[in-house]
Amino acid sequence: MISKEVIEKNKSKLIETSEKYGVLTPSLLEFLGEDLFTAPASTSLDMYGAYPGGLLEHIFVASKYAVNVNGLLPKGLQQPIPSILKCTILSQIGKVFLFKPNESEWHRKNLGKMYEFNDQLVSMRVGERSAFYCSKFGVELTEEEYQTIVNSDKGDDDLQAKYHSTPLAQVVKQGFELAIFEQKHG
């Protein structure tokens, strides 16, 4: 759990980053509203970020790792920091309305299942929903940024995403994998 003060601090940090790097359009920010700042990152305590504000916290940790991974690459493979930050933020906005509080006290208390999926939404992967929101609300993306967002939550069983992703997609994916590792084990 994080405090309301940390949620407000993260809100300010996201808005500042978005303005600096041109991430969220005003219409996308308005559509996502306060839910963007209070959304969880996952459903269960045994995962990561299953609490109000967990999504932004997860995005910031992943962004830190993605930028650091990028710095380890040879100059010819390094990606522009604005694109990395844009993709780490935008690839997760599909989670904003995806979860709703679990009404079952037994599931929350005994299983740590704090949220459940919002069945009112059309079924899409998070990356697909994120890209949909971007297109609907006027976020301009390069082909590489689009591919990165759409493939951000695809596993190794998707061979197209695994073997044909751009360096940007690989950097962002590594950032998220390291963030999940830290949040589950750190």
Side-chain angles (χ1 to χ4, degrees), residues 16 42 44 51 66 89:
E16 178 183 317
S42 67
S44 300
Y51 46 82
I89 294 168

Side-chain angles (χ1 to χ4, degrees), residues 2-12 53 57 60:
I2 56 176
S3 67
K4 288 183 180 189
E5 292 79 22
V6 171
I7 290 174
E8 284 300 314
K9 179 182 168 194
N10 287 343
K11 176 181 178 178
S12 297
E57 196 169 65
F60 291 145

Side-chain angles (χ1 to χ4, degrees), residues 52-99:
L55 180 59
L56 278 190
E57 196 169 65
H58 178 59
I59 287 170
F60 291 145
V61 173
S63 295
K64 172 190 73 172
Y65 278 119
V67 168
N68 288 337
V69 165
N70 190 56
L72 296 172
L73 296 174
K75 292 284 185 212
L77 288 176
Q78 287 185 4
Q79 301 302 299
I81 301 299
S83 283
I84 293 170
L85 297 175
K86 187 176 194 179
C87 290
T88 55
I89 294 168
L90 293 175
S91 68
Q92 299 296 294
I93 62 171
K95 289 183 177 180
V96 172
F97 305 115
L98 185 59
F99 308 122

Side-chain angles (χ1 to χ4, degrees), residues 33-166:
E34 287 300 310
D35 289 328
L36 173 60
F37 311 114
T38 60
S42 67
T43 59
S44 300
L45 295 176
D46 63 346
M47 295 175 77
Y48 56 92
Y51 46 82
L55 180 59
L56 278 190
E57 196 169 65
H58 178 59
I59 287 170
F60 291 145
V61 173
S63 295
K64 172 190 73 172
Y65 278 119
V67 168
N68 288 337
V69 165
N70 190 56
L72 296 172
L73 296 174
K75 292 284 185 212
L77 288 176
Q78 287 185 4
Q79 301 302 299
I81 301 299
S83 283
I84 293 170
L85 297 175
K86 187 176 194 179
C87 290
T88 55
I89 294 168
L90 293 175
S91 68
Q92 299 296 294
I93 62 171
K95 289 183 177 180
V96 172
F97 305 115
L98 185 59
F99 308 122
K100 61 183 185 177
N102 191 339
E103 294 182 15
S104 169
E105 183 179 343
W106 187 90
H107 283 89
R108 288 191 316 270
K109 185 176 179 182
N110 295 306
L111 301 177
K113 188 174 179 192
M114 308 309 287
Y115 297 89
E116 54 190 3
F117 287 95
N118 179 356
D119 293 332
Q120 300 298 316
L121 297 176
V122 172
S123 181
M124 289 186 213
R125 297 183 70 84
V126 171
E128 294 167 345
R129 181 168 300 285
S130 297
F132 170 72
Y133 289 161
C134 288
S135 68
K136 185 174 180 178
F137 294 99
V139 176
E140 291 188 29
L141 300 171
T142 66
E143 278 184 294
E144 291 171 340
E145 291 168 344
Y146 180 83
Q147 183 202 59
T148 298
I149 291 167
V150 170
N151 289 341
S152 64
D153 60 341
K154 292 185 179 174
D156 287 340
D157 59 330
D158 186 318
L159 299 181
Q160 177 72 24
K162 182 176 180 178
Y163 293 116
H164 300 286
S165 290
T166 65

